[in-house]
Short mmCIF file of all heavy atoms in Angstrom, two decimals:
data_model
loop_
_atom_site.label_atom_id
_atom_site.label_comp_id
_atom_site.label_asym_id
_atom_site.label_seq_id
_atom_site.Cartn_x
_atom_site.Cartn_y
_atom_site.Cartn_z
N SER A 85 -13.62 -3.74 19.96
CA SER A 85 -14.22 -3.14 18.75
C SER A 85 -13.48 -1.84 18.46
O SER A 85 -12.72 -1.34 19.31
CB SER A 85 -15.71 -2.83 18.98
OG SER A 85 -15.84 -1.81 19.95
N GLY A 86 -13.74 -1.29 17.26
CA GLY A 86 -13.17 0.01 16.95
C GLY A 86 -13.68 1.06 17.94
O GLY A 86 -12.95 1.95 18.36
N MET A 87 -14.95 0.95 18.33
CA MET A 87 -15.50 1.92 19.29
C MET A 87 -14.82 1.80 20.65
O MET A 87 -14.63 2.81 21.34
CB MET A 87 -17.02 1.73 19.44
CG MET A 87 -17.87 2.17 18.26
SD MET A 87 -17.40 3.74 17.50
CE MET A 87 -17.48 4.87 18.89
N ILE A 90 -11.67 3.77 20.40
CA ILE A 90 -11.94 5.23 20.45
C ILE A 90 -12.27 5.63 21.88
O ILE A 90 -11.76 6.62 22.41
CB ILE A 90 -13.10 5.58 19.47
CG1 ILE A 90 -12.64 5.31 18.03
CG2 ILE A 90 -13.55 7.02 19.65
CD1 ILE A 90 -13.75 5.33 16.98
N TYR A 110 -16.84 9.38 11.36
CA TYR A 110 -17.76 8.23 11.40
C TYR A 110 -18.90 8.52 12.41
O TYR A 110 -18.66 9.06 13.49
CB TYR A 110 -16.96 6.98 11.79
CG TYR A 110 -17.80 5.81 12.20
CD1 TYR A 110 -18.72 5.24 11.33
CD2 TYR A 110 -17.68 5.26 13.48
CE1 TYR A 110 -19.50 4.16 11.73
CE2 TYR A 110 -18.46 4.18 13.88
CZ TYR A 110 -19.37 3.65 13.00
OH TYR A 110 -20.14 2.59 13.39
N ASP A 182 -7.84 7.99 13.10
CA ASP A 182 -8.53 6.74 12.81
C ASP A 182 -8.09 6.31 11.40
O ASP A 182 -8.45 6.95 10.41
CB ASP A 182 -10.05 6.98 12.87
CG ASP A 182 -10.84 5.69 12.69
OD1 ASP A 182 -10.33 4.78 11.99
OD2 ASP A 182 -11.95 5.59 13.23
N THR A 184 -8.66 3.47 9.82
CA THR A 184 -9.43 2.31 9.38
C THR A 184 -9.57 2.22 7.86
O THR A 184 -9.39 1.16 7.27
CB THR A 184 -10.84 2.34 10.02
OG1 THR A 184 -10.70 2.32 11.44
CG2 THR A 184 -11.69 1.18 9.58
N PHE A 185 -9.89 3.35 7.21
CA PHE A 185 -10.13 3.32 5.76
C PHE A 185 -8.86 3.03 4.97
O PHE A 185 -8.90 2.32 3.98
CB PHE A 185 -10.74 4.65 5.28
CG PHE A 185 -12.24 4.70 5.31
CD1 PHE A 185 -12.96 4.12 6.35
CD2 PHE A 185 -12.96 5.33 4.30
CE1 PHE A 185 -14.34 4.16 6.38
CE2 PHE A 185 -14.35 5.38 4.31
CZ PHE A 185 -15.03 4.79 5.36
N SER A 204 -10.55 0.23 13.47
CA SER A 204 -11.59 -0.78 13.58
C SER A 204 -11.02 -1.99 12.82
O SER A 204 -10.92 -1.96 11.59
CB SER A 204 -12.89 -0.29 12.94
OG SER A 204 -13.76 -1.41 12.78
N THR A 206 -12.46 -4.61 12.45
CA THR A 206 -13.63 -5.19 11.81
C THR A 206 -13.58 -5.06 10.29
O THR A 206 -14.23 -5.83 9.58
CB THR A 206 -14.88 -4.42 12.33
OG1 THR A 206 -14.75 -4.22 13.73
CG2 THR A 206 -16.16 -5.12 12.01
N LYS A 207 -12.84 -4.07 9.81
CA LYS A 207 -12.87 -3.72 8.39
C LYS A 207 -11.74 -4.43 7.64
O LYS A 207 -11.70 -5.64 7.62
CB LYS A 207 -12.84 -2.20 8.26
CG LYS A 207 -13.86 -1.47 9.16
CD LYS A 207 -15.27 -1.88 8.82
CE LYS A 207 -16.39 -1.17 9.51
NZ LYS A 207 -16.35 -0.92 10.92
N VAL A 216 -15.33 -8.60 14.86
CA VAL A 216 -15.37 -7.20 15.31
C VAL A 216 -14.18 -7.00 16.24
O VAL A 216 -13.95 -7.82 17.14
CB VAL A 216 -16.70 -6.91 16.05
CG1 VAL A 216 -16.68 -5.52 16.70
CG2 VAL A 216 -17.88 -7.02 15.09
N GLY A 217 -13.42 -5.94 16.01
CA GLY A 217 -12.26 -5.68 16.88
C GLY A 217 -11.73 -4.28 16.68
O GLY A 217 -12.13 -3.57 15.75
N LEU A 336 -17.76 -2.20 5.74
CA LEU A 336 -16.80 -2.07 4.64
C LEU A 336 -15.58 -2.92 4.93
O LEU A 336 -15.41 -3.44 6.02
CB LEU A 336 -16.36 -0.59 4.51
CG LEU A 336 -15.67 0.00 5.75
CD1 LEU A 336 -14.26 0.46 5.43
CD2 LEU A 336 -16.48 1.17 6.29
C1 PLP B 1 -13.85 4.81 10.34
C2 PLP B 1 -14.46 3.95 11.40
N1 PLP B 1 -13.96 4.00 12.66
C3 PLP B 1 -14.47 3.25 13.65
C4 PLP B 1 -15.54 2.41 13.43
C5 PLP B 1 -16.10 1.61 14.57
O1 PLP B 1 -15.61 0.32 14.52
P1 PLP B 1 -16.38 -0.97 15.14
O2 PLP B 1 -17.61 -1.15 14.32
O3 PLP B 1 -15.37 -2.05 14.98
O4 PLP B 1 -16.66 -0.64 16.56
C6 PLP B 1 -16.09 2.31 12.14
C7 PLP B 1 -17.22 1.40 11.89
O5 PLP B 1 -17.87 1.44 10.86
C8 PLP B 1 -15.53 3.11 11.11
O6 PLP B 1 -16.03 3.07 9.86
#
Side-chain angles (χ1 to χ4, degrees):
S85 67
M87 288 317 304
I90 294 167
Y110 165 61
D182 185 330
T184 300
F185 270 39
S204 166
T206 317
K207 311 299 186 314
V216 172
L336 60 120

